[in-house]
């Protein structure tokens, strides 16, 4: 089956952008199927860094069709700004397509995101306040505005009036915040519609034809498994399904069209925002990993929480998405450590468990059970083959693969395209 799905196996920021960029070269079509502009991918090409928010990573490869699926929460202002910025750098975006069924983030979504976080106080989720959650909430409440609505001036005007009548009342009566003027919002979004129209298609129909024609398709997820709305550490999650199953609903394709599933795993763990993190390191080792790995949000610039890699998490992610291979990234960040650790399970009330409990109360009582391995304390950034990696580095990632139940497919030893060791034919 000529398709591959790339998913994050932890809490996001695993380096999916680089893996997607590598596989995009072998693909005909690259599809983003979930998430919004809060999900940043950083890709390094010929020493030049590109930070992508909504644009699929395949946009950096000339001739590759890039699709934003219906599962994406589209911020019109952000995508247009991103298109303009990347055009200035000489990258053509004429190969971009946007699903007419994708939902549009409106100004009131961002306002409500911020106000709701403030209202929650200490119980806040830690969102990026980009309006993602409120947009998906309207989608489920069947009051959302889709791209196809934005393309029709009459329908958009009607839907916007109805939405503003409700949202302005909510902003005023609940939060004491100012509402939005219909004429101003309408005019702003009609300008967006004019610029976006050339990209809008029935993405599901486009992909069905491509599948029938034997095209190679790569589906890239935003965020990661443990931010999945159903299977992550709820409620400290995103508002969509970044696991492999999300491809079907977020891109409009059938499950039989999904081929290989690659789970991207950072050689250690990080997460942004609030929520449980069993292997978190609040010590010098955690600081070392954060500083050496430059672990700060691509979009938010927030410092990421850092910790040892958690094999129980990855095993769960592998089961959820049916992972065929692991792509281990950022292995080089651990180069200087004399000892590296893998969490193999948890101790809960004196008993060993090998899964992450759904209950946050139970999860708060879990303590990591570590397996210690010797570090390699060697610069691996120039390793061009698996055999060139130090024995201790190979032992570390092989043990991680063994514990997760998925074989190794890719090992990344640096941010550049050439710093990629490929162990399996993934597409």
């Amino acid at each position: 089956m000529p398709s591959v799905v790339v998913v994050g196996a932890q809490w996001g920021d695993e380096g999916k952008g680089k893996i997607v960029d590598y596989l995009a070269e072998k693909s005909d079509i690259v599809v983003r199927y979930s998430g919004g502009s809060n999900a940043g991918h950083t890709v390094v090409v010929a020493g030049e860094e590109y930070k992508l928010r909504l644009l699929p990573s395949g946009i950096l490869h000339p001739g590759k069709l890039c699709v934003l699926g219906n599962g994406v929460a589209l911020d019109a202002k952000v995508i247009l700004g991103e298109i303009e910025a990347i055009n200035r750098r000489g990258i053509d975006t004429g190969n971009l397509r946007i699903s007419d069924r994708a939902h549009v983030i409106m100004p009131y979504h961002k306002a409500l995101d911020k106000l709701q976080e403030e209202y929650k106080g200490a119980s806040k989720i830690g969102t990026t306040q980009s309006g993602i959650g409120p947009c998906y909430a309207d989608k489920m409440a069947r009051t959302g505005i889709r791209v196809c609505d934005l393309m029709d001036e009459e329908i958009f005007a009607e839907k916007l009036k109805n939405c503003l009548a409700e949202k302005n009342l909510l902003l005023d009566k609940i939060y004491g915040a100012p509402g939005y003027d219909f004429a101003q919002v309408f005019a702003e979004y009609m300008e967006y519609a004019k610029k976006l129209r050339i990209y809008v298609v029935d993405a599901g129909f486009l992909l069905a034809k491509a599948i029938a024609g034997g095209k190679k398709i790569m589906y890239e997820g935003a965020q990661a498994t443990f931010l999945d709305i159903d299977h992550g550490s709820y409620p400290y999650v995103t508002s969509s399904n970044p696991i492999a199953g999300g491809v079907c609903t977020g891109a409009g394709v059938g499950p039989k069209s999904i081929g290989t599933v690659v789970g991207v795993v950072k050689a250690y763990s990080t997460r942004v925002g609030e929520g449980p993190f069993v292997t978190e390191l609040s010590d010098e080792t955690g600081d070392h990993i954060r500083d050496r790995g430059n672990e700060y949000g691509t979009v938010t610039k927030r410092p990421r929480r850092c910790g040892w890699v958690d094999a129980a998490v990855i095993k769960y992610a592998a089961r959820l998405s049916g992972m065929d291979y692991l792509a281990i990234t950022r292995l080089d960040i651990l180069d200087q450590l004399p000892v590296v650790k893998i969490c193999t399970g948890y101790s809960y009330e004196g008993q060993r468990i090998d899964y992450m409990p759904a209950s946050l109360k139970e999860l708060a009582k879990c303590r990591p059970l570590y397996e210690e391995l010797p570090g390699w304390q060697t610069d691996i950034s120039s390793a061009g083959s698996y055999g060139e990696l130090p024995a201790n580095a190979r032992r570390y990632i092989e043990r991680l693969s063994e514990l997760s139940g998925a074989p190794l497919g890719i090992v990344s030893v640096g941010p550049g395209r050439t710093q990629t060791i490929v162990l399996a034919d993934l597409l």
Side-chain angles (χ1 to χ4, degrees), residues 108-110 112-113 116 131-139 239:
Y108 48 78
H109 290 139
K110 296 181 181 181
L112 286 169
D113 203 351
Q116 287 166 358
I132 313 296
C135 178
Y136 280 120
D138 278 2
K139 175 180 178 177
S239 304

Side-chain angles (χ1 to χ4, degrees), residues 33-48:
Y33 63 88
S34 68
S37 60
N38 58 338
H41 283 172
T42 301
V43 180
V44 178
V45 181
E48 192 169 353

Side-chain angles (χ1 to χ4, degrees), residues 185-199:
V185 176
F186 180 79
E188 178 185 352
Y189 276 74
M190 281 297 94
E191 285 300 312
Y192 295 154
K194 290 178 185 177
K195 296 176 181 179
L196 288 173
R197 192 176 301 278
I198 60 171
Y199 303 110

Side-chain angles (χ1 to χ4, degrees), residues 66-327:
C66 295
V67 180
L68 292 178
N70 60 276
V72 171
L74 186 79
D75 188 320
K77 184 176 182 179
V78 169
I79 189 65
L80 287 169
E82 197 170 355
I83 289 169
E84 182 181 346
I86 207 164
N87 286 164
R88 287 198 302 267
R89 298 177 71 177
I91 305 296
D92 180 32
T93 52
N95 55 341
L96 176 66
R97 301 292 183 270
I98 299 173
S99 171
D100 55 4
R101 289 175 167 82
H103 278 250
V104 180
I105 293 176
M106 303 300 294
Y108 48 78
H109 290 139
K110 296 181 181 181
L112 286 169
D113 203 351
K114 182 176 186 296
L115 291 165
Q116 287 166 358
E117 279 286 89
E118 291 173 353
Y119 178 79
K120 291 168 186 170
S123 300
K124 65 182 180 179
I125 303 299
T127 78
T128 60
Q129 301 180 17
S130 302
I132 313 296
C135 178
Y136 280 120
D138 278 2
K139 175 180 178 177
M140 295 307 175
R142 301 177 295 279
T143 59
I145 294 175
R146 299 188 296 171
V147 170
C148 60
D149 302 323
L150 184 61
M151 295 299 110
D152 187 309
E153 184 173 330
E154 184 178 343
I155 290 176
F156 178 67
E158 180 184 355
K159 291 202 168 190
L160 180 61
K161 285 178 182 176
N162 292 336
C163 287
L164 287 181
E166 176 191 348
K167 302 304 181 185
N168 283 347
L169 186 64
L170 178 62
L171 288 166
D172 177 34
K173 300 301 182 183
I174 302 299
Y175 298 104
Y180 289 87
D181 176 70
F182 168 82
Q184 183 178 346
V185 176
F186 180 79
E188 178 185 352
Y189 276 74
M190 281 297 94
E191 285 300 312
Y192 295 154
K194 290 178 185 177
K195 296 176 181 179
L196 288 173
R197 192 176 301 278
I198 60 171
Y199 303 110
V200 177
V201 298
D202 183 330
F205 182 69
L206 181 154
L207 292 174
K209 289 180 64 176
I211 291 167
K215 297 293 186 181
K216 292 184 178 181
I217 304 175
M218 180 180 59
Y219 302 94
E220 64 168 277
Q223 286 96 28
T225 299
F226 285 87
L227 296 179
D228 186 278
I229 187 68
D230 289 298
H231 303 287
S233 49
Y234 188 89
Y236 301 101
V237 292
T238 192
S239 304
S240 59
N241 294 109
I243 61 173
V247 170
C248 298
T249 54
V253 299
K256 291 184 179 179
S257 66
I258 297 175
T260 303
V261 179
V262 178
V264 185
V265 177
K266 192 179 287 186
Y268 49 95
S269 298
T270 62
R271 80 170 296 171
V272 173
E274 309 301 319
F277 187 3
V278 177
T279 65
E280 183 170 11
L281 294 170
S282 301
D283 58 11
E284 291 182 358
T285 301
D287 293 339
H288 171 83
I289 292 173
R290 182 182 302 105
D291 292 341
R292 182 168 165 78
N294 191 30
E295 290 294 350
Y296 298 89
T298 300
V299 175
T300 65
K301 307 303 180 186
R302 290 185 294 184
R304 296 174 184 144
R305 300 156 64 191
C306 297
W308 295 118
V309 72
D310 189 334
V313 157
I314 298 165
K315 184 176 182 179
Y316 179 46
R319 174 175 65 81
L320 278 176
S321 288
M323 290 179 186
D324 296 292
Y325 295 100
L326 297 183

